[in-house]
Amino acid sequence: SPVHRAHYELFTRALDAENVEEDGVVLVHPTCGPTQADDIPGDVRYKTYEVLKEETANPKVFWEYLPYSMHMAGPREAIQHMMIRKNYGCTHFIIGRDMAGSKSSVTGDDFYGAYEAQDLAKEMSERLGVKTVPSLNLVYSEEAGYVTADEADEKNYTQMKLSGTKFRKMLRGGEDIPEWFAFKSVVKVLRDNQ
């Protein structure tokens, strides 16, 4: 999917993780191969990454693209991604909630547990020679911008939410997309390529 503001916050804040050294950098390495029918095409996603790379111009963030199609094969695919990134020189890997997860075609329920990929990655980390970086559960709050969900709950902040489905519907309908959710440059590329 295109990088939303929460994604950007997530991978730039990963640099602050306890197991990441001070001179660490982030390689944003999204897959740009064929996707599911209702997903944004790879070439359009690529354009969103390019405008975001230019807009943010963060010297600690490097962008490269992986010509790979997600298979949504759950925890074992997450391990494959760790191995691929190690081959690109990465020493650490962020594994998000339900990475490469899929739903049952019969019930629509998640096939894997939300944290199975993270658990397997932690288990395999030493053997693979790649450290895992905790994926923060970030939310946007009216009071403080992006914070962890725990902090938002603890401080009773008003949390703003927008699902990917709702985002795509708003995008197709020409509705304004909140800037806390998506970068304007990314929204423009998505609109120009509908």
Side-chain angles (χ1 to χ4, degrees):
S1 60
V3 174
H4 301 308
R5 284 198 183 267
H7 297 135
Y8 188 79
E9 290 289 329
L10 176 78
F11 60 71
T12 54
R13 290 181 188 203
L15 292 168
D16 298 327
E18 290 179 10
N19 65 345
V20 174
E21 295 180 21
E22 194 172 307
D23 61 347
V25 296
V26 172
L27 172 64
V28 182
H29 199 220
T31 61
C32 287
T35 60
Q36 298 171 4
D38 61 341
D39 281 342
I40 295 163
D43 64 322
V44 176
R45 290 193 324 272
Y46 170 80
K47 290 174 188 174
T48 68
Y49 304 140
E50 285 296 295
V51 297
L52 192 53
K53 176 171 121 178
E54 187 177 309
E55 179 178 338
T56 57
N58 186 334
K60 295 195 86 154
V61 177
F62 293 83
W63 299 77
E64 295 298 332
Y65 310 103
L66 183 63
Y68 175 92
S69 180
M70 290 292 291
H71 301 284
M72 310 316 282
R76 286 181 286 184
E77 184 173 2
I79 297 303
Q80 180 186 26
H81 281 262
M82 284 179 74
M83 293 165 61
I84 290 169
R85 282 12 183 255
K86 180 180 179 179
N87 290 337
Y88 276 83
C90 295
T91 57
H92 295 66
F93 188 67
I94 304 167
I95 296 200
R97 182 188 171 282
D98 195 28
M99 180 174 175
S102 61
K103 297 194 179 296
S104 165
S105 60
V106 176
T107 65
D109 295 334
D110 288 334
F111 193 74
Y112 301 102
Y115 300 99
E116 280 188 58
Q118 290 179 351
D119 293 343
L120 183 59
K122 285 178 195 168
E123 181 184 320
M124 301 290 296
S125 177
E126 188 174 334
R127 184 170 160 200
L128 294 173
V130 179
K131 296 176 183 174
T132 60
V133 177
S135 175
L136 299 173
N137 183 11
L138 297 177
V139 296
Y140 185 82
S141 70
E142 288 182 345
E143 296 84 358
Y146 280 99
V147 296
T148 64
D150 290 343
E151 181 181 351
D153 290 341
E154 182 182 300
K155 295 182 177 176
N156 211 21
Y157 287 160
T158 305
Q159 297 179 40
M160 309 296 289
K161 295 184 181 187
L162 182 62
S163 71
T165 302
K166 175 74 173 160
F167 168 68
R168 287 187 294 274
K169 184 178 177 187
M170 291 172 72
L171 194 63
R172 285 190 298 270
E175 297 177 52
D176 287 337
I177 307 294
E179 285 189 49
W180 61 262
F181 184 80
F183 291 88
K184 279 186 172 185
S185 59
V186 170
V187 171
K188 181 178 182 333
V189 168
L190 293 171
R191 287 214 161 110
D192 289 351
N193 288 277
Q194 288 189 74

